[in-house]
Amino acid sequence: MSTTAWPLDALVPARPTWARVDTDFYVASRDGEFVGYVDRAADGTYIAFDGRSTPVGRYDDLRDAQRAAEGVTSPAQARQRRRVTRALQKTAAVTGVVAGGVALTAGALAPYL
């Protein structure tokens, strides 16, 4: 029996790996793809950037800045999530129709059992 990735796995992305590449400069990647980075400013705060080098915010704590950089969804991830969500909605609708049909059939046959 082969194992394949379930589409729901796309909704929960793997945690990125952080690497300190220079003094007070950290870079994140997830599954080999660049996620973002955090740089420490002269005033001691940390500035988080997304995968397109767009500033996400300024934080007092390194971990908060890393979480902010991790939380930015890439356009590819957003498209994948929309596809999975649409597929799950269609599956739920079909399941509801089938369940309703079974309930009606059971109700119609109940007097004859």
Side-chain angles (χ1 to χ4, degrees):
M1 181 170 151
S2 67
T3 59
T4 57
W6 181 251
L8 291 177
D9 292 344
L11 296 175
V12 182
R15 297 211 27 100
T17 301
W18 284 91
R20 182 177 170 204
V21 295
D22 200 1
T23 304
D24 296 326
F25 188 78
Y26 304 85
V27 176
S29 63
R30 179 185 297 121
D31 298 329
E33 184 178 330
F34 175 67
V35 174
Y37 63 96
V38 173
D39 193 10
R40 191 164 191 178
D43 65 0
T45 60
Y46 295 92
I47 305 171
F49 296 85
D50 67 9
R52 294 182 171 170
S53 297
T54 304
V56 176
R58 184 179 296 261
Y59 303 88
D60 292 325
D61 182 63
L62 172 62
R63 189 65 197 125
D64 290 340
Q66 288 175 326
R67 280 190 206 107
E70 292 173 10
V72 177
T73 304
S74 73
Q77 289 172 327
R79 282 191 301 277
Q80 178 66 16
R81 285 183 183 184
R82 283 192 300 272
R83 281 195 296 266
V84 170
T85 299
R86 280 194 300 269
L88 290 174
Q89 288 171 340
K90 289 176 185 176
T91 302
V94 169
T95 302
V97 169
V98 169
V102 168
L104 287 173
T105 302
L109 293 178
Y112 302 107
L113 297 177

